[in-house]
Amino acid sequence: MSAGYFPKREKVGLEDLFKGLVTASHILHQNGVLDAYGHISVRSPDNAATFWMPCNLPPALISAPDDLVEYKVDDASAVEKDAKDGYVERFIHSEIYKRFPAVNSVVHSHSSDVLPYCISGVPLKASIHMAGFLGSNTPVWDASGHYPSGSKHDLLVHDSTLGASLSAAFKPATSAGFIYSKMRSALPSQIGGAAPEPSQEPDHAVVLMQSHGFTTAARGIEEAVYQAIYTREAAKAQTAALTIRNAHFGHIVEGKIDVEGGGKIKSAKVKAEGDLKYLSDREAGDAWDAMQKTIARPWALWCREVDVNPLYRNECPGCEDE
């Protein structure tokens, strides 16, 4: 479990892990995926039964190893008894790591660009080649039917029951396993390594959460950050395309004319003319295959962008050498 966090490194120590996790939090904030809320985590490279994520701070203000907390995958409890307070929704991360041994990094976001697809019934699909990982179907998980008896219906994933239900949406029993499990074999070894058994991986890279946000699971920090950023970009592109399509083509009304009722249309349905051109399954798969090989390029740019922004401070050991 030590490979797959940073390019050209076969093993990753905790210093590298801390530095990367702080940087990733800053990148996700810089790119509008996280604001004061949301979080990223990473599985421990030395112990697959634990994972690290920031304490209860805004992502932009995380700056040092002391801001990071190690949790147990089994129950999302802190390894150290005197650990700083953590995020309530850390069960999102623990249950995904528990269900999928091949997942090493998880991002949870409330991006306002993605939220419309969590509440409108309009499916979010791969419409741009940069987001082929979305495939032809992005599931929407609804917490309403999964709250434990007596718990608050606040949409937050604040216990293992809700976390387990969400994690199951990444690999539903009826899924054909289109994009995630079929395409991982193409992932460069320095980022993700050879594909493990399909049962260890989710079938979907992203799951939307009803009225809440989205979560993405990946095999390394860079890939998780990429998927989170381009989920937002794909949603922005699809929303813009739907807007201009409706403005340009308009709608037609279909139904039966009630002559006796003065020409009113009975049982009318409003249908949009034209349709968006989404990626086919083949196109989405091949596009993701190609983009996986280039993740190191945007990662280098994103690192530089946060490095020169005075808002972000990374005081982890080794940062002064870069």
Side-chain angles (χ1 to χ4, degrees), residues 97-293:
Y97 291 133
K98 186 187 300 183
R99 185 177 293 269
F100 303 112
V103 168
N104 290 326
S105 190
V106 175
V107 175
H108 173 59
S109 166
H110 309 134
S111 169
S112 58
D113 294 299
V114 180
L115 276 171
Y117 296 94
C118 304
I119 59 178
S120 64
V122 177
L124 178 63
K125 301 180 181 181
S127 57
I128 58 175
H129 77 287
M130 304 292 285
F133 56 84
L134 289 174
S136 57
N137 174 37
T138 305
V140 181
W141 175 77
D142 188 348
S144 62
H146 304 282
Y147 291 109
S149 177
S151 69
K152 292 184 177 180
H153 291 209
D154 55 12
L155 300 180
L156 299 178
V157 183
H158 45 55
D159 58 47
S160 58
T161 299
L162 290 169
S165 175
L166 171 61
S167 70
F170 280 86
K171 195 179 185 70
T174 57
S175 172
F178 159 60
I179 191 69
Y180 201 90
S181 60
K182 287 189 177 181
M183 296 312 304
R184 284 303 187 221
S185 60
L187 196 64
S189 59
Q190 70 268 27
I191 294 181
E197 293 296 323
S199 61
Q200 297 185 357
E201 294 198 330
D203 289 340
H204 298 281
V206 177
V207 169
L208 305 181
M209 303 164 69
Q210 177 73 35
S211 305
H212 187 156
F214 75 90
T215 298
T216 185
R219 295 181 65 194
I221 289 178
E222 302 98 330
E223 187 179 78
V225 169
Y226 178 97
Q227 289 176 180
I229 290 174
Y230 280 102
T231 294
R232 178 177 183 246
E233 292 301 316
K236 290 165 61 178
Q238 185 172 330
T239 299
L242 287 168
T243 301
I244 62 174
R245 184 202 66 172
N246 291 339
H248 179 74
F249 291 106
H251 295 76
I252 57 176
V253 179
E254 296 179 343
K256 297 180 180 179
I257 298 177
D258 183 2
V259 178
E260 296 180 356
K264 295 180 179 180
I265 299 177
K266 298 173 62 177
S267 303
K269 294 182 179 180
V270 178
K271 182 180 179 182
E273 292 186 304
D275 196 8
L276 294 190
K277 177 66 170 71
Y278 296 103
L279 274 63
S280 67
D281 283 357
R282 173 67 181 274
E283 289 173 329
D286 287 351
W288 182 222
D289 183 10
M291 296 314 301
Q292 284 175 341
K293 299 178 176 68

